[in-house]
């Protein structure tokens, strides 16, 4: 009788590495990933600016819910979404402590919550937009929007460096763990194990960036050997790179639906206003 195999690599370094690769290269698909990258950037700017024109908490709550819907249909991975939820939870704890310890009241808490909700909307929209763009699409969009070629390349290369950094971290950490035995006794709350792990992380810092610098040099040399600099200067290279960009009906429909939904959020806020006092 065969037993079902259980997945035990959640929260491991390997799982984090795979999630970063899926996030950087937009392998999960989703609605936003099928759109033109130039339109995605414009959609992001439109949505990110919407919460800053109101103090109505009802409108902000509706915008937050709308941004959450786009996160779901964009298939944002559990790693970045979990980091967002953890950060939001710590922010709420901070608001309660700030309002309590510094002589504030419920009004202070509401005022701080307003800013937090606005930043939360921007963060959710950022997740939906940039998780749906792989390095090539984002680089092409920036190039099409007349950004300097160096900026477009830096953004694209930065996306590719995240998995490399995690891979180097995993390799160096495993090497140190094989060479250094953990403490026999953990102590109160396992503080010796935590101190041992922190010591390894500090010692691994220099080798990680040294190995990454070597990878950067190798990549730059390979790009120059293939004529990267000349391709960014020659107009023919630009035309080849941007030849695949097309604005389709899906792009127009998503932007139009977003404008209507944002307008609806403001209408709901006007009908049932909730302002801080």
């Amino acid at each position: 009788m065969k037993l079902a195999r259980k997945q035990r690599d959640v929260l491991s370094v390997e799982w984090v590495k795979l999630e970063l690769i899926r996030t950087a290269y937009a392998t999960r698909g989703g609605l936003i990933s099928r759109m033109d990258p130039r339109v995605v950037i414009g959609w992001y700017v439109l949505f990110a600016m919407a919460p800053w024109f109101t103090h109505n908490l009802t409108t902000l709550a509706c915008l937050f819910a709308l941004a959450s819907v786009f996160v779901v249909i964009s298939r944002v991975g559990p790693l970045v979404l979990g980091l967002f939820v953890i950060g939001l939870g710590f922010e709420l704890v901070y608001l309660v402590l700030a309002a309590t310890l510094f002589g504030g009241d419920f009004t202070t808490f509401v005022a701080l919550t307003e800013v937090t909700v606005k930043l939360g909307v921007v963060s959710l929209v950022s997740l939906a937009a940039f998780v749906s763009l792989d390095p090539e699409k984002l680089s092409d969009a920036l190039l099409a929007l007349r950004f300097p070629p160096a900026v477009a390349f830096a953004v694209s290369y930065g996306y590719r460096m995240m998995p490399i950094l995690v891979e180097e971290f995993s390799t160096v950490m495993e090497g140190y763990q094989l060479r250094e035995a953990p403490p026999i006794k953990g102590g109160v709350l396992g503080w010796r194990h935590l101190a041992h792990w922190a010591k390894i992380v500090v010692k691994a810092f220099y080798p990680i960036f040294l190995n990454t610098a070597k990878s950067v040099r190798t990549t730059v040399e390979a790009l120059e050997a293939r004529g990267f600099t000349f391709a960014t200067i020659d107009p023919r290279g630009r035309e080849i790179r941007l030849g695949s960009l097309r604005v389709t009906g899906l792009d127009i429909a998503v932007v139009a639906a977003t404008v209507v939904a944002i307008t609806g959020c403001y209408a709901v806020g006007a009908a049932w206003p909730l302002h801080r006092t």
Side-chain angles (χ1 to χ4, degrees):
M1 180 178 179
K2 294 183 178 181
L3 297 177
R5 184 177 179 181
K6 296 182 180 179
Q7 185 74 13
R8 299 181 182 276
D9 62 345
V10 177
L11 296 181
S12 65
V13 176
E14 185 67 21
W15 179 81
V16 172
K17 181 182 67 177
L18 293 176
E19 281 298 315
L20 284 177
I21 293 175
R22 295 189 186 104
T23 300
Y25 291 94
T27 59
R28 296 183 183 276
L31 177 65
I32 307 298
S33 64
R34 298 196 297 269
M35 296 172 56
D36 186 281
R38 298 168 297 178
V39 178
V40 173
I41 293 178
W43 172 85
Y44 165 73
V45 173
L46 172 67
F47 209 140
M49 292 178 60
W52 301 101
F53 295 101
T54 181
H55 296 287
N56 192 325
L57 295 180
T58 304
T59 302
L60 294 176
C62 293
L63 290 174
F64 189 90
L66 180 61
S68 301
V69 172
F70 276 105
V71 166
V72 173
I73 63 179
S74 300
R75 300 180 183 178
V76 176
L79 176 62
V80 291
L81 190 59
L83 292 176
F84 169 77
V85 173
I86 293 174
L88 186 62
F90 278 110
E91 182 68 19
L92 292 176
V93 172
Y94 159 74
L95 294 180
V96 173
L97 292 177
T100 303
L101 299 179
F102 294 97
D105 52 11
F106 182 74
T107 303
T108 305
F109 176 78
V110 172
L112 295 174
T113 302
E114 176 189 323
V115 179
T116 302
V117 173
K118 290 182 178 181
L119 294 176
V121 172
V122 176
S123 299
L124 288 175
V125 176
S126 301
L127 291 179
F130 294 104
V131 166
S132 302
L133 294 176
D134 60 39
E136 292 298 332
K137 286 185 177 180
L138 183 56
S139 177
D140 293 344
L142 295 176
L143 197 62
L145 296 174
R146 300 295 177 178
F147 278 77
V151 174
F153 170 75
V155 172
S156 177
Y157 190 71
Y159 267 68
R160 290 181 171 87
M161 287 304 299
M162 289 191 299
I164 294 177
L165 284 172
V166 177
E167 180 71 27
E168 292 294 341
F169 175 78
S170 176
T171 303
V172 175
M173 286 291 292
E174 289 174 357
Y176 275 113
Q177 288 174 352
L178 290 173
R179 289 194 297 267
E180 298 186 12
I184 300 177
K185 295 183 180 180
V188 180
L189 299 178
W191 71 270
R192 288 192 177 91
H193 291 292
L194 294 176
H196 175 72
W197 186 82
K199 177 184 176 182
I200 292 178
V201 171
V202 173
K203 293 174 67 175
F205 180 83
Y206 179 76
I208 289 172
F209 283 92
L210 178 62
N211 295 340
T212 304
K214 293 180 180 178
S215 300
V216 171
R217 185 182 64 182
T218 303
T219 304
V220 171
E221 291 175 351
L223 288 172
E224 290 301 323
R226 297 178 181 180
F228 174 80
T229 302
F230 179 76
T232 59
I233 299 175
D234 195 326
R236 293 174 296 178
R238 175 186 174 88
E239 293 177 1
I240 293 174
R241 288 192 59 180
L242 305 183
S244 61
L245 298 181
R246 294 288 187 276
V247 178
T248 63
L250 175 64
D251 304 321
I252 299 175
V254 171
V255 173
T258 303
V259 172
V260 172
I262 292 176
T263 304
C265 293
Y266 274 86
V268 171
W272 294 282
L274 180 59
H275 299 277
R276 63 183 177 89
T277 57

